[in-house]
Amino acid sequence: MKVPFKPGTLIYPLPAVMVSCGDAPENYNIITIGWTGTVCSDPPMCYISVRHERYSYDIIKRTGEFVINLTTVDLARITDWCGVRSGRDYNKFKEMHLTPQQGQLVKAPLIGESPLNIECRVRDIRPLGSHDMFLADVVAIDAEERLIDKSTGAFQLNHAQPLAYSHGKYYSLGEKLGSFGFSVKKQSNRK
């Protein structure tokens, strides 16, 4: 039986990512974001949605760049801390002992401890209410080599134990249920 429920953003689980920004070490910052995702695969585009009052908002708006750093179970505490503390008051890289690294094409730092860093350039900022959406082109990817399958070249994020966010709580992902297209794949005749 279905019952009415108040309208809201209940599309869960989501990735919990740390977004790094800034164009010089003295203004590097990290913001934890849940409102993020893929927009388009060709050209590769993604988005983050940020409240105006967040410290990183003005940095990203000014520089036009950011890095989406995927998170893992091992980074759960750090991910949460970077989401509840402000860069106005803390140097998050220093406080959390994270390593800022130079990316390929953007000035915003990568988080060295993240298994995958997505370098982004802002294409458009869309005011949407409580948050503005930063629509961005993916200009480079930096992947941890140990997570790339040597035979197929596929990136295996599942080996890094990715972190998910669902309605105020963090989770690790569970067991694999299938691969894309498994529901229609022809089964071999078994004897």
Side-chain angles (χ1 to χ4, degrees):
M1 172 158 113
K2 304 281 183 172
V3 297
F5 198 76
K6 64 181 180 174
T9 53
L10 295 177
I11 302 171
Y12 290 110
L14 301 164
V17 301
M18 290 188 286
V19 173
S20 49
C21 57
D23 54 4
E26 58 272 9
N27 65 33
Y28 286 170
N29 194 45
I30 302 167
I31 180 175
T32 299
I33 297 280
W35 306 147
T36 185
T38 300
V39 174
C40 186
S41 56
D42 188 17
M45 294 176 65
C46 59
Y47 78 93
I48 59 172
S49 290
V50 184
R51 289 181 180 270
H52 299 176
E53 61 270 14
R54 297 297 297 264
Y55 181 67
S56 294
Y57 179 93
D58 289 329
I59 296 171
I60 296 168
K61 188 174 181 180
R62 177 182 60 78
T63 64
E65 298 178 341
F66 59 88
V67 178
I68 296 174
N69 303 274
L70 297 189
T71 59
T72 64
V73 170
D74 289 341
L75 293 170
R77 182 181 172 283
I78 292 169
T79 301
D80 182 65
W81 193 93
C82 287
V84 297
R85 298 289 188 228
S86 175
R88 288 181 187 91
D89 304 319
Y90 296 94
N91 177 326
K92 295 180 185 182
F93 278 97
K94 183 178 176 184
E95 294 288 332
M96 292 290 99
H97 307 286
L98 294 170
T99 310
Q101 294 181 341
Q102 181 62 50
Q104 299 174 61
L105 297 175
V106 300
K107 290 181 181 176
L110 313 177
I111 296 175
E113 291 74 11
S114 171
L116 188 79
N117 317 91
I118 304 168
E119 298 182 38
C120 300
R121 283 208 181 107
V122 176
R123 176 187 280 219
D124 190 20
I125 303 172
R126 300 204 176 167
L128 298 174
S130 63
H131 293 66
D132 281 2
M133 178 189 288
F134 289 84
L135 189 61
D137 293 305
V138 174
V139 296
I141 299 287
D142 304 275
E144 196 169 301
E145 187 176 13
R146 71 175 180 85
L147 296 174
I148 299 173
D149 183 292
K150 300 215 183 322
S151 62
T152 65
F155 184 71
Q156 300 175 317
L157 181 61
N158 54 314
H159 292 296
Q161 298 182 297
L163 188 64
Y165 179 79
S166 182
H167 212 65
K169 296 172 180 63
Y170 299 98
Y171 295 92
S172 61
L173 298 182
E175 69 180 271
K176 176 183 168 186
L177 302 176
S179 297
F180 181 76
F182 83 103
S183 64
V184 296
K185 186 177 178 182
K186 292 185 180 184
Q187 299 293 320
S188 61
N189 291 335
R190 295 183 181 166
K191 294 183 180 182

